[in-house]
Amino acid sequence: MESPAQTSRQEARLAAEVNEFVVAFYERTIGRADFSPSGIAEELGAPRQRAEQAVGVLRELRLVKPAEGSADRFVAVSPEAAQMELLVPLEREILDSRHRLEGFKGQLSSFVTAFEKQSRTRAETVVITEDREEIELRLLEAAQGCTTEVLVMQPCVARETSELRLARPLVLEAVRRGAHGRILYPHTARGDSDTRAHLGELLPAGGQVRTTNEVRDRFLVFDRKTAFIPAGEGDAIAVVYDGAVAAFLAGLHARVWESAFDFDSGAAGYAGTMGDLKATLLDLLASGAKDEVIARRVGMSERTLRRHVATIMQDLSASSRFQAGVLAARTGLVDTALSGAA
């Protein structure tokens, strides 16, 4: 029995081989008691090999068949008769497949109630795992069941973690199905080409995007029922099936969302958020935070951070990072900028 892939290849080959010559060859055979490929080839002024190829195509389409009592002569068959021989078995096979499909649906429906009941009374409130396949499956389950809201807080695409990379198309699909999507990025995401490309799909689908001066955490919340949060410093993810935790994260997201800046895909660069970002950098410099900590909180690489810090030091005529922060605090730059951004 031929596999579906083999059948598909055969159909594609036949479609390519049914050309004007094959049709002309078939026309010459109609109404004759029988014919030979070489005789038709001579009439058409075509090579015998080409005629034999045409006969091969016509035989597969059941439009010619061997003449009775002769191995090298053939008889033309009407398209109606060929259709009965070729298509009726296929239609019967399709009908059988439909009956089998309905049978499977009926059998599987018996398990739907049991699955939904178990989902509602899930024994495992929190699952911590590093297994990529398990994380992907749990993301898929949560995203496919999402009907009202999906909330995301994350760094830019260039710095996103593996679970966020897996979740990106699932969040987009949930938004396209009608779920209300709110995604928070740091301001630095505005300068990341990969992030802007992703938002070029998300925004037209109905998603809302804002950026903020700091993204201290990363998480996803689906329908305020299921949350995905980091589990420590490694790659482990905690999947939390607890409405109270999901609601707490949704509240945190809402508080950050209120003071965040709307993202406009048509605006270039940082689009008016550079002042807010600079104020945050000054505040963190004044606190004496290390480059690694500052870079993580504002969502940029340490290399990019050092470029921003160098510009700030030059603007303030400061000889060190700490002095820049102190000067900014003394002159009120930090407080003024932060209050203005709020």
Side-chain angles (χ1 to χ4, degrees):
M1 180 178 178
E2 291 184 340
S3 67
Q6 290 173 322
T7 302
S8 178
R9 286 195 295 270
Q10 182 182 20
E11 291 171 352
R13 180 179 58 77
L14 276 175
E17 292 181 355
V18 175
N19 50 37
E20 292 182 2
F21 178 77
V22 174
V23 175
F25 186 98
Y26 177 68
E27 288 178 349
R28 288 296 182 109
T29 67
I30 297 171
R32 304 189 184 202
D34 58 27
F35 68 89
S36 67
S38 58
I40 301 295
E42 186 175 346
E43 293 178 20
L44 294 173
R48 177 170 180 171
Q49 182 180 5
R50 192 175 183 190
E52 290 175 349
Q53 290 174 346
V55 169
V57 173
L58 293 171
R59 290 192 66 177
E60 287 196 58
L61 292 173
R62 306 299 192 271
L63 288 170
V64 299
K65 65 180 181 180
E68 188 174 350
S70 177
D72 56 355
R73 298 190 69 79
F74 298 88
V75 178
V77 178
S78 71
E80 291 79 7
Q83 181 171 308
M84 291 294 293
E85 183 179 352
L86 190 63
L87 301 185
V88 168
L90 290 176
E91 291 175 348
R92 187 180 298 114
E93 185 178 339
I94 292 171
L95 184 61
D96 290 342
S97 296
R98 286 177 178 169
H99 288 158
R100 290 179 61 205
L101 178 62
E102 292 301 321
F104 281 133
K105 285 182 177 179
Q107 292 171 351
L108 290 172
S109 65
S110 305
F111 299 92
V112 171
T113 303
F115 177 81
E116 291 180 346
K117 180 180 178 182
Q118 177 61 25
S119 297
R120 289 193 296 269
T121 59
R122 190 186 294 271
E124 45 186 14
T125 305
V126 179
V127 176
I128 298 178
T129 178
E130 294 184 11
D131 184 84
R132 179 185 174 90
E133 184 175 350
E134 182 178 2
I135 293 171
E136 185 171 10
L137 288 173
R138 291 184 183 274
L139 278 168
L140 182 62
E141 177 190 12
Q144 288 185 337
C146 179
T147 58
T148 58
E149 179 185 65
V150 54
L151 304 174
V152 183
M153 181 183 287
Q154 69 166 85
C156 63
V157 169
R159 297 172 61 82
E160 69 184 356
T161 52
S162 58
E163 85 278 0
L164 291 171
R165 194 173 302 112
L166 292 170
R168 203 193 316 158
L170 301 177
V171 169
L172 177 60
E173 182 58 32
V175 170
R176 284 174 172 165
R177 289 199 313 269
H180 186 53
R182 289 184 173 181
I183 294 84
L184 274 168
Y185 283 104
H187 290 323
T188 51
R190 293 172 178 264
D192 180 63
S193 59
D194 290 336
T195 303
R196 295 183 73 93
H198 170 53
L199 299 185
E201 295 180 294
L202 186 63
L203 291 171
Q208 290 181 279
V209 179
R210 289 186 179 181
T211 65
T212 181
N213 53 359
E214 291 186 66
V215 171
R216 301 192 185 189
D217 307 287
R218 71 178 197 270
F219 58 79
L220 298 94
V221 179
F222 294 94
D223 282 346
R224 303 202 178 199
K225 296 177 182 177
T226 308
F228 293 78
I229 60 177
E233 295 296 326
D235 296 329
I237 294 299
V239 188
V240 185
Y241 300 99
D242 187 296
V245 174
F248 172 81
L249 292 172
L252 172 62
H253 191 282
R255 289 190 293 275
V256 178
W257 184 266
E258 288 176 2
S259 60
F261 293 72
D262 284 327
F263 178 84
D264 179 4
S265 59
Y270 283 81
T273 63
M274 181 56 77
D276 193 43
L277 176 61
K278 183 177 179 180
T280 303
L281 293 176
L282 285 168
D283 190 41
L284 293 170
L285 287 172
S287 72
K290 295 181 179 179
D291 284 357
E292 179 185 356
V293 174
I294 298 175
R296 183 169 62 250
R297 285 177 57 170
V298 299
M300 65 174 60
S301 68
E302 292 185 44
R303 183 177 180 179
T304 302
L305 170 66
R306 284 192 286 270
R307 287 204 304 269
H308 281 290
V309 171
T311 301
I312 290 172
M313 289 173 59
Q314 184 176 1
D315 292 343
L316 294 173
S317 299
S319 58
S320 68
R321 296 171 350 113
F322 181 73
Q323 185 185 21
V326 172
L327 288 172
R330 285 179 179 175
T331 56
L333 287 175
V334 174
D335 293 338
T336 300
L338 286 175
S339 61

PDB file of all heavy atoms in Angstrom, residues 222-251:
ATOM      1  N   PHE A 222      -1.363  33.618  32.230  1.00  0.00           N
ATOM      2  CA  PHE A 222      -2.464  33.318  31.317  1.00  0.00           C
ATOM      3  C   PHE A 222      -3.777  33.268  32.095  1.00  0.00           C
ATOM      4  O   PHE A 222      -3.933  32.461  33.017  1.00  0.00           O
ATOM      5  CB  PHE A 222      -2.223  31.976  30.613  1.00  0.00           C
ATOM      6  CG  PHE A 222      -1.038  31.969  29.691  1.00  0.00           C
ATOM      7  CD1 PHE A 222       0.211  31.536  30.145  1.00  0.00           C
ATOM      8  CD2 PHE A 222      -1.149  32.387  28.376  1.00  0.00           C
ATOM      9  CE1 PHE A 222       1.310  31.521  29.289  1.00  0.00           C
ATOM     10  CE2 PHE A 222      -0.054  32.374  27.524  1.00  0.00           C
ATOM     11  CZ  PHE A 222       1.181  31.939  27.982  1.00  0.00           C
ATOM     12  N   ASP A 223      -4.705  34.135  31.722  1.00  0.00           N
ATOM     13  CA  ASP A 223      -6.056  34.164  32.309  1.00  0.00           C
ATOM     14  C   ASP A 223      -6.061  34.263  33.835  1.00  0.00           C
ATOM     15  O   ASP A 223      -7.020  33.823  34.474  1.00  0.00           O
ATOM     16  CB  ASP A 223      -6.849  32.919  31.880  1.00  0.00           C
ATOM     17  CG  ASP A 223      -7.380  33.043  30.459  1.00  0.00           C
ATOM     18  OD1 ASP A 223      -7.363  34.156  29.921  1.00  0.00           O
ATOM     19  OD2 ASP A 223      -7.802  32.017  29.895  1.00  0.00           O
ATOM     20  N   ARG A 224      -4.999  34.792  34.423  1.00  0.00           N
ATOM     21  CA  ARG A 224      -4.874  34.905  35.882  1.00  0.00           C
ATOM     22  C   ARG A 224      -5.084  33.555  36.571  1.00  0.00           C
ATOM     23  O   ARG A 224      -5.558  33.480  37.700  1.00  0.00           O
ATOM     24  CB  ARG A 224      -5.859  35.939  36.431  1.00  0.00           C
ATOM     25  CG  ARG A 224      -5.688  37.309  35.795  1.00  0.00           C
ATOM     26  CD  ARG A 224      -6.221  38.435  36.602  1.00  0.00           C
ATOM     27  NE  ARG A 224      -5.958  39.708  35.914  1.00  0.00           N
ATOM     28  CZ  ARG A 224      -5.971  40.889  36.492  1.00  0.00           C
ATOM     29  NH1 ARG A 224      -6.235  40.986  37.784  1.00  0.00           N
ATOM     30  NH2 ARG A 224      -5.724  41.983  35.802  1.00  0.00           N
ATOM     31  N   LYS A 225      -4.696  32.489  35.850  1.00  0.00           N
ATOM     32  CA  LYS A 225      -4.801  31.140  36.397  1.00  0.00           C
ATOM     33  C   LYS A 225      -3.445  30.442  36.466  1.00  0.00           C
ATOM     34  O   LYS A 225      -3.144  29.741  37.432  1.00  0.00           O
ATOM     35  CB  LYS A 225      -5.740  30.286  35.535  1.00  0.00           C
ATOM     36  CG  LYS A 225      -7.182  30.751  35.503  1.00  0.00           C
ATOM     37  CD  LYS A 225      -7.983  29.869  34.559  1.00  0.00           C
ATOM     38  CE  LYS A 225      -9.432  30.322  34.464  1.00  0.00           C
ATOM     39  NZ  LYS A 225     -10.200  29.490  33.489  1.00  0.00           N
ATOM     40  N   THR A 226      -2.643  30.635  35.424  1.00  0.00           N
ATOM     41  CA  THR A 226      -1.362  29.944  35.317  1.00  0.00           C
ATOM     42  C   THR A 226      -0.256  30.961  35.092  1.00  0.00           C
ATOM     43  O   THR A 226      -0.383  31.835  34.234  1.00  0.00           O
ATOM     44  CB  THR A 226      -1.367  28.939  34.148  1.00  0.00           C
ATOM     45  OG1 THR A 226      -2.498  28.087  34.272  1.00  0.00           O
ATOM     46  CG2 THR A 226      -0.099  28.104  34.153  1.00  0.00           C
ATOM     47  N   ALA A 227       0.828  30.822  35.876  1.00  0.00           N
ATOM     48  CA  ALA A 227       1.952  31.756  35.766  1.00  0.00           C
ATOM     49  C   ALA A 227       3.243  30.993  35.532  1.00  0.00           C
ATOM     50  O   ALA A 227       3.431  29.886  36.051  1.00  0.00           O
ATOM     51  CB  ALA A 227       2.067  32.607  37.031  1.00  0.00           C
ATOM     52  N   PHE A 228       4.131  31.580  34.747  1.00  0.00           N
ATOM     53  CA  PHE A 228       5.459  31.028  34.495  1.00  0.00           C
ATOM     54  C   PHE A 228       6.471  32.047  35.007  1.00  0.00           C
ATOM     55  O   PHE A 228       6.517  33.179  34.519  1.00  0.00           O
ATOM     56  CB  PHE A 228       5.668  30.776  32.999  1.00  0.00           C
ATOM     57  CG  PHE A 228       4.807  29.689  32.434  1.00  0.00           C
ATOM     58  CD1 PHE A 228       3.470  29.923  32.140  1.00  0.00           C
ATOM     59  CD2 PHE A 228       5.324  28.416  32.217  1.00  0.00           C
ATOM     60  CE1 PHE A 228       2.662  28.921  31.632  1.00  0.00           C
ATOM     61  CE2 PHE A 228       4.527  27.407  31.706  1.00  0.00           C
ATOM     62  CZ  PHE A 228       3.192  27.659  31.407  1.00  0.00           C
ATOM     63  N   ILE A 229       7.265  31.639  36.001  1.00  0.00           N
ATOM     64  CA  ILE A 229       8.228  32.546  36.619  1.00  0.00           C
ATOM     65  C   ILE A 229       9.568  31.839  36.760  1.00  0.00           C
ATOM     66  O   ILE A 229       9.632  30.604  36.753  1.00  0.00           O
ATOM     67  CB  ILE A 229       7.739  33.029  38.004  1.00  0.00           C
ATOM     68  CG1 ILE A 229       7.546  31.832  38.943  1.00  0.00           C
ATOM     69  CG2 ILE A 229       6.450  33.835  37.884  1.00  0.00           C
ATOM     70  CD1 ILE A 229       7.140  32.220  40.353  1.00  0.00           C
ATOM     71  N   PRO A 230      10.672  32.594  36.892  1.00  0.00           N
ATOM     72  CA  PRO A 230      11.980  31.960  37.082  1.00  0.00           C
ATOM     73  C   PRO A 230      12.021  31.213  38.420  1.00  0.00           C
ATOM     74  O   PRO A 230      11.391  31.633  39.399  1.00  0.00           O
ATOM     75  CB  PRO A 230      12.958  33.134  37.089  1.00  0.00           C
ATOM     76  CG  PRO A 230      12.212  34.275  36.490  1.00  0.00           C
ATOM     77  CD  PRO A 230      10.783  34.064  36.813  1.00  0.00           C
ATOM     78  N   ALA A 231      12.773  30.136  38.441  1.00  0.00           N
ATOM     79  CA  ALA A 231      12.967  29.369  39.673  1.00  0.00           C
ATOM     80  C   ALA A 231      14.454  29.386  39.989  1.00  0.00           C
ATOM     81  O   ALA A 231      15.187  28.448  39.684  1.00  0.00           O
ATOM     82  CB  ALA A 231      12.456  27.942  39.531  1.00  0.00           C
ATOM     83  N   GLY A 232      14.933  30.482  40.568  1.00  0.00           N
ATOM     84  CA  GLY A 232      16.357  30.594  40.867  1.00  0.00           C
ATOM     85  C   GLY A 232      17.107  31.257  39.739  1.00  0.00           C
ATOM     86  O   GLY A 232      16.532  31.860  38.822  1.00  0.00           O
ATOM     87  N   GLU A 233      18.421  31.125  39.781  1.00  0.00           N
ATOM     88  CA  GLU A 233      19.292  31.806  38.823  1.00  0.00           C
ATOM     89  C   GLU A 233      19.528  31.004  37.546  1.00  0.00           C
ATOM     90  O   GLU A 233      20.015  31.527  36.567  1.00  0.00           O
ATOM     91  CB  GLU A 233      20.653  32.105  39.478  1.00  0.00           C
ATOM     92  CG  GLU A 233      20.575  33.098  40.629  1.00  0.00           C
ATOM     93  CD  GLU A 233      20.119  34.469  40.171  1.00  0.00           C
ATOM     94  OE1 GLU A 233      20.463  34.865  39.053  1.00  0.00           O
ATOM     95  OE2 GLU A 233      19.413  35.147  40.940  1.00  0.00           O
ATOM     96  N   GLY A 234      19.240  29.706  37.560  1.00  0.00           N
ATOM     97  CA  GLY A 234      19.513  28.867  36.396  1.00  0.00           C
ATOM     98  C   GLY A 234      18.410  28.924  35.358  1.00  0.00           C
ATOM     99  O   GLY A 234      17.696  29.922  35.214  1.00  0.00           O
ATOM    100  N   ASP A 235      18.260  27.813  34.619  1.00  0.00           N
ATOM    101  CA  ASP A 235      17.256  27.741  33.563  1.00  0.00           C
ATOM    102  C   ASP A 235      15.928  27.172  34.046  1.00  0.00           C
ATOM    103  O   ASP A 235      14.995  27.034  33.248  1.00  0.00           O
ATOM    104  CB  ASP A 235      17.770  26.872  32.405  1.00  0.00           C
ATOM    105  CG  ASP A 235      18.982  27.480  31.728  1.00  0.00           C
ATOM    106  OD1 ASP A 235      19.071  28.724  31.704  1.00  0.00           O
ATOM    107  OD2 ASP A 235      19.845  26.719  31.238  1.00  0.00           O
ATOM    108  N   ALA A 236      15.835  26.812  35.316  1.00  0.00           N
ATOM    109  CA  ALA A 236      14.612  26.204  35.830  1.00  0.00           C
ATOM    110  C   ALA A 236      13.466  27.213  35.829  1.00  0.00           C
ATOM    111  O   ALA A 236      13.655  28.401  36.085  1.00  0.00           O
ATOM    112  CB  ALA A 236      14.825  25.664  37.238  1.00  0.00           C
ATOM    113  N   ILE A 237      12.270  26.715  35.531  1.00  0.00           N
ATOM    114  CA  ILE A 237      11.064  27.530  35.497  1.00  0.00           C
ATOM    115  C   ILE A 237      10.048  26.949  36.474  1.00  0.00           C
ATOM    116  O   ILE A 237       9.873  25.728  36.553  1.00  0.00           O
ATOM    117  CB  ILE A 237      10.456  27.546  34.075  1.00  0.00           C
ATOM    118  CG1 ILE A 237      11.407  28.249  33.114  1.00  0.00           C
ATOM    119  CG2 ILE A 237       9.097  28.240  34.051  1.00  0.00           C
ATOM    120  CD1 ILE A 237      11.696  29.692  33.460  1.00  0.00           C
ATOM    121  N   ALA A 238       9.389  27.832  37.224  1.00  0.00           N
ATOM    122  CA  ALA A 238       8.301  27.414  38.100  1.00  0.00           C
ATOM    123  C   ALA A 238       6.982  27.695  37.378  1.00  0.00           C
ATOM    124  O   ALA A 238       6.709  28.830  36.990  1.00  0.00           O
ATOM    125  CB  ALA A 238       8.354  28.159  39.423  1.00  0.00           C
ATOM    126  N   VAL A 239       6.203  26.636  37.165  1.00  0.00           N
ATOM    127  CA  VAL A 239       4.876  26.776  36.578  1.00  0.00           C
ATOM    128  C   VAL A 239       3.890  26.742  37.736  1.00  0.00           C
ATOM    129  O   VAL A 239       3.774  25.731  38.428  1.00  0.00           O
ATOM    130  CB  VAL A 239       4.578  25.648  35.575  1.00  0.00           C
ATOM    131  CG1 VAL A 239       3.268  25.925  34.838  1.00  0.00           C
ATOM    132  CG2 VAL A 239       5.718  25.487  34.582  1.00  0.00           C
ATOM    133  N   VAL A 240       3.188  27.836  37.962  1.00  0.00           N
ATOM    134  CA  VAL A 240       2.343  27.989  39.144  1.00  0.00           C
ATOM    135  C   VAL A 240       0.872  27.940  38.743  1.00  0.00           C
ATOM    136  O   VAL A 240       0.394  28.812  38.012  1.00  0.00           O
ATOM    137  CB  VAL A 240       2.639  29.316  39.876  1.00  0.00           C
ATOM    138  CG1 VAL A 240       1.827  29.398  41.170  1.00  0.00           C
ATOM    139  CG2 VAL A 240       4.130  29.440  40.176  1.00  0.00           C
ATOM    140  N   TYR A 241       0.170  26.907  39.229  1.00  0.00           N
ATOM    141  CA  TYR A 241      -1.259  26.768  38.961  1.00  0.00           C
ATOM    142  C   TYR A 241      -2.019  27.233  40.205  1.00  0.00           C
ATOM    143  O   TYR A 241      -2.653  26.450  40.910  1.00  0.00           O
ATOM    144  CB  TYR A 241      -1.601  25.311  38.637  1.00  0.00           C
ATOM    145  CG  TYR A 241      -0.876  24.767  37.435  1.00  0.00           C
ATOM    146  CD1 TYR A 241       0.275  23.978  37.587  1.00  0.00           C
ATOM    147  CD2 TYR A 241      -1.323  25.019  36.149  1.00  0.00           C
ATOM    148  CE1 TYR A 241       0.946  23.474  36.480  1.00  0.00           C
ATOM    149  CE2 TYR A 241      -0.660  24.520  35.034  1.00  0.00           C
ATOM    150  CZ  TYR A 241       0.475  23.742  35.216  1.00  0.00           C
ATOM    151  OH  TYR A 241       1.137  23.239  34.119  1.00  0.00           O
ATOM    152  N   ASP A 242      -1.926  28.504  40.483  1.00  0.00           N
ATOM    153  CA  ASP A 242      -2.535  29.067  41.683  1.00  0.00           C
ATOM    154  C   ASP A 242      -3.074  30.446  41.348  1.00  0.00           C
ATOM    155  O   ASP A 242      -2.318  31.344  40.969  1.00  0.00           O
ATOM    156  CB  ASP A 242      -1.500  29.147  42.811  1.00  0.00           C
ATOM    157  CG  ASP A 242      -2.119  29.577  44.131  1.00  0.00           C
ATOM    158  OD1 ASP A 242      -2.619  30.715  44.201  1.00  0.00           O
ATOM    159  OD2 ASP A 242      -2.097  28.785  45.077  1.00  0.00           O
ATOM    160  N   GLY A 243      -4.380  30.620  41.488  1.00  0.00           N
ATOM    161  CA  GLY A 243      -4.998  31.884  41.127  1.00  0.00           C
ATOM    162  C   GLY A 243      -4.511  33.058  41.948  1.00  0.00           C
ATOM    163  O   GLY A 243      -4.420  34.173  41.446  1.00  0.00           O
ATOM    164  N   ALA A 244      -4.176  32.820  43.229  1.00  0.00           N
ATOM    165  CA  ALA A 244      -3.717  33.910  44.084  1.00  0.00           C
ATOM    166  C   ALA A 244      -2.377  34.451  43.601  1.00  0.00           C
ATOM    167  O   ALA A 244      -2.156  35.667  43.554  1.00  0.00           O
ATOM    168  CB  ALA A 244      -3.618  33.430  45.528  1.00  0.00           C
ATOM    169  N   VAL A 245      -1.458  33.548  43.247  1.00  0.00           N
ATOM    170  CA  VAL A 245      -0.149  33.967  42.749  1.00  0.00           C
ATOM    171  C   VAL A 245      -0.305  34.677  41.410  1.00  0.00           C
ATOM    172  O   VAL A 245       0.310  35.727  41.157  1.00  0.00           O
ATOM    173  CB  VAL A 245       0.797  32.756  42.624  1.00  0.00           C
ATOM    174  CG1 VAL A 245       2.108  33.164  41.960  1.00  0.00           C
ATOM    175  CG2 VAL A 245       1.064  32.138  43.984  1.00  0.00           C
ATOM    176  N   ALA A 246      -1.124  34.102  40.532  1.00  0.00           N
ATOM    177  CA  ALA A 246      -1.340  34.724  39.221  1.00  0.00           C
ATOM    178  C   ALA A 246      -1.953  36.118  39.370  1.00  0.00           C
ATOM    179  O   ALA A 246      -1.572  37.056  38.668  1.00  0.00           O
ATOM    180  CB  ALA A 246      -2.247  33.837  38.371  1.00  0.00           C
ATOM    181  N   ALA A 247      -2.878  36.272  40.308  1.00  0.00           N
ATOM    182  CA  ALA A 247      -3.503  37.576  40.537  1.00  0.00           C
ATOM    183  C   ALA A 247      -2.495  38.579  41.094  1.00  0.00           C
ATOM    184  O   ALA A 247      -2.524  39.766  40.742  1.00  0.00           O
ATOM    185  CB  ALA A 247      -4.680  37.427  41.497  1.00  0.00           C
ATOM    186  N   PHE A 248      -1.585  38.116  41.974  1.00  0.00           N
ATOM    187  CA  PHE A 248      -0.553  38.996  42.515  1.00  0.00           C
ATOM    188  C   PHE A 248       0.354  39.515  41.405  1.00  0.00           C
ATOM    189  O   PHE A 248       0.655  40.709  41.333  1.00  0.00           O
ATOM    190  CB  PHE A 248       0.276  38.251  43.556  1.00  0.00           C
ATOM    191  CG  PHE A 248       1.479  39.012  44.030  1.00  0.00           C
ATOM    192  CD1 PHE A 248       1.363  40.005  44.993  1.00  0.00           C
ATOM    193  CD2 PHE A 248       2.740  38.743  43.503  1.00  0.00           C
ATOM    194  CE1 PHE A 248       2.466  40.725  45.411  1.00  0.00           C
ATOM    195  CE2 PHE A 248       3.855  39.455  43.919  1.00  0.00           C
ATOM    196  CZ  PHE A 248       3.714  40.449  44.884  1.00  0.00           C
ATOM    197  N   LEU A 249       0.766  38.622  40.507  1.00  0.00           N
ATOM    198  CA  LEU A 249       1.620  39.026  39.387  1.00  0.00           C
ATOM    199  C   LEU A 249       0.874  39.954  38.437  1.00  0.00           C
ATOM    200  O   LEU A 249       1.458  40.897  37.897  1.00  0.00           O
ATOM    201  CB  LEU A 249       2.116  37.785  38.636  1.00  0.00           C
ATOM    202  CG  LEU A 249       3.095  36.894  39.398  1.00  0.00           C
ATOM    203  CD1 LEU A 249       3.356  35.609  38.621  1.00  0.00           C
ATOM    204  CD2 LEU A 249       4.402  37.626  39.659  1.00  0.00           C
ATOM    205  N   ALA A 250      -0.413  39.702  38.255  1.00  0.00           N
ATOM    206  CA  ALA A 250      -1.213  40.587  37.406  1.00  0.00           C
ATOM    207  C   ALA A 250      -1.289  41.988  38.008  1.00  0.00           C
ATOM    208  O   ALA A 250      -1.236  42.989  37.287  1.00  0.00           O
ATOM    209  CB  ALA A 250      -2.612  40.008  37.222  1.00  0.00           C
ATOM    210  N   GLY A 251      -1.387  42.064  39.353  1.00  0.00           N
ATOM    211  CA  GLY A 251      -1.397  43.364  40.017  1.00  0.00           C
ATOM    212  C   GLY A 251      -0.073  44.083  39.866  1.00  0.00           C
ATOM    213  O   GLY A 251      -0.035  45.308  39.634  1.00  0.00           O
TER     214      GLY A 251
END
